[in-house]
Short mmCIF file of all heavy atoms in Angstrom, two decimals:
data_model
loop_
_atom_site.label_atom_id
_atom_site.label_comp_id
_atom_site.label_asym_id
_atom_site.label_seq_id
_atom_site.Cartn_x
_atom_site.Cartn_y
_atom_site.Cartn_z
N ARG W 30 31.84 -115.72 104.23
CA ARG W 30 30.55 -115.12 104.59
C ARG W 30 30.63 -114.40 105.92
O ARG W 30 29.99 -113.36 106.12
CB ARG W 30 29.46 -116.20 104.66
CG ARG W 30 28.05 -115.62 104.87
CD ARG W 30 27.11 -116.63 105.49
NE ARG W 30 27.53 -117.01 106.82
CZ ARG W 30 27.32 -116.27 107.91
NH1 ARG W 30 26.73 -115.08 107.83
NH2 ARG W 30 27.73 -116.70 109.09
N THR W 31 31.42 -114.93 106.85
CA THR W 31 31.55 -114.29 108.17
C THR W 31 32.12 -112.87 108.05
O THR W 31 31.86 -112.02 108.90
CB THR W 31 32.44 -115.13 109.09
OG1 THR W 31 33.69 -115.39 108.43
CG2 THR W 31 31.78 -116.45 109.43
N MET W 32 32.90 -112.63 107.00
CA MET W 32 33.46 -111.29 106.79
C MET W 32 32.34 -110.31 106.42
O MET W 32 32.33 -109.16 106.88
CB MET W 32 34.52 -111.32 105.70
CG MET W 32 35.28 -110.00 105.55
SD MET W 32 36.14 -109.52 107.07
CE MET W 32 37.44 -110.75 107.10
N ILE W 33 31.38 -110.75 105.61
CA ILE W 33 30.24 -109.89 105.25
C ILE W 33 29.44 -109.56 106.50
O ILE W 33 29.02 -108.42 106.71
CB ILE W 33 29.33 -110.59 104.21
CG1 ILE W 33 30.14 -110.95 102.96
CG2 ILE W 33 28.15 -109.68 103.85
CD1 ILE W 33 30.74 -109.79 102.23
N SER W 34 29.24 -110.55 107.34
CA SER W 34 28.52 -110.34 108.60
C SER W 34 29.26 -109.32 109.47
O SER W 34 28.63 -108.45 110.08
CB SER W 34 28.38 -111.67 109.35
OG SER W 34 27.71 -111.47 110.58
N ALA W 35 30.59 -109.42 109.48
CA ALA W 35 31.39 -108.48 110.28
C ALA W 35 31.27 -107.06 109.72
O ALA W 35 31.20 -106.09 110.48
CB ALA W 35 32.84 -108.92 110.31
N TYR W 36 31.24 -106.93 108.40
CA TYR W 36 31.07 -105.60 107.78
C TYR W 36 29.72 -105.00 108.19
O TYR W 36 29.63 -103.82 108.54
CB TYR W 36 31.11 -105.71 106.25
CG TYR W 36 32.42 -106.13 105.66
CD1 TYR W 36 32.48 -106.67 104.37
CD2 TYR W 36 33.62 -105.98 106.36
CE1 TYR W 36 33.67 -107.05 103.80
CE2 TYR W 36 34.83 -106.37 105.78
CZ TYR W 36 34.85 -106.91 104.51
OH TYR W 36 36.03 -107.30 103.94
N GLU W 37 28.67 -105.82 108.13
CA GLU W 37 27.32 -105.32 108.39
C GLU W 37 27.07 -105.07 109.87
O GLU W 37 26.19 -104.28 110.22
CB GLU W 37 26.29 -106.32 107.84
CG GLU W 37 26.32 -106.43 106.33
CD GLU W 37 25.24 -107.32 105.76
OE1 GLU W 37 24.52 -107.97 106.57
OE2 GLU W 37 25.09 -107.38 104.52
N ASP W 38 27.83 -105.71 110.73
CA ASP W 38 27.71 -105.47 112.18
C ASP W 38 28.62 -104.35 112.65
O ASP W 38 28.57 -103.95 113.82
CB ASP W 38 28.04 -106.75 112.96
CG ASP W 38 26.98 -107.83 112.76
OD1 ASP W 38 25.87 -107.48 112.35
OD2 ASP W 38 27.30 -109.01 113.00
N GLY W 39 29.47 -103.86 111.75
CA GLY W 39 30.40 -102.79 112.13
C GLY W 39 31.62 -103.29 112.89
O GLY W 39 32.36 -102.49 113.47
N ARG W 40 31.85 -104.60 112.87
CA ARG W 40 33.00 -105.15 113.59
C ARG W 40 34.27 -105.12 112.74
O ARG W 40 35.38 -105.28 113.26
CB ARG W 40 32.70 -106.59 114.02
CG ARG W 40 31.63 -106.70 115.09
CD ARG W 40 31.38 -108.16 115.51
NE ARG W 40 30.59 -108.87 114.51
CZ ARG W 40 31.07 -109.83 113.73
NH1 ARG W 40 32.35 -110.17 113.82
NH2 ARG W 40 30.28 -110.45 112.86
N SER W 41 34.12 -104.91 111.45
CA SER W 41 35.26 -104.84 110.56
C SER W 41 34.92 -103.94 109.38
O SER W 41 33.75 -103.78 109.05
CB SER W 41 35.63 -106.25 110.06
OG SER W 41 36.73 -106.21 109.19
N GLU W 42 35.94 -103.36 108.78
CA GLU W 42 35.72 -102.50 107.62
C GLU W 42 36.52 -103.04 106.43
O GLU W 42 37.68 -103.44 106.60
CB GLU W 42 36.14 -101.06 107.91
CG GLU W 42 35.23 -100.36 108.92
CD GLU W 42 35.55 -98.89 109.05
OE1 GLU W 42 36.53 -98.44 108.42
OE2 GLU W 42 34.82 -98.19 109.78
N PRO W 43 35.91 -103.06 105.26
CA PRO W 43 36.62 -103.58 104.08
C PRO W 43 37.76 -102.66 103.64
O PRO W 43 37.72 -101.45 103.89
CB PRO W 43 35.52 -103.65 103.02
CG PRO W 43 34.47 -102.69 103.47
CD PRO W 43 34.53 -102.66 104.96
N LYS W 44 38.75 -103.25 102.99
CA LYS W 44 39.84 -102.46 102.43
C LYS W 44 39.34 -101.70 101.20
O LYS W 44 38.26 -101.96 100.68
CB LYS W 44 41.00 -103.37 102.05
CG LYS W 44 41.65 -104.06 103.25
CD LYS W 44 42.80 -104.96 102.82
CE LYS W 44 43.44 -105.64 104.03
NZ LYS W 44 44.56 -106.54 103.64
#
Side-chain angles (χ1 to χ4, degrees):
R30 187 204 64 79
T31 53
M32 188 60 71
I33 302 299
S34 179
Y36 294 159
E37 294 185 354
D38 292 340
R40 292 181 283 110
S41 180
E42 291 188 356
K44 295 180 180 180

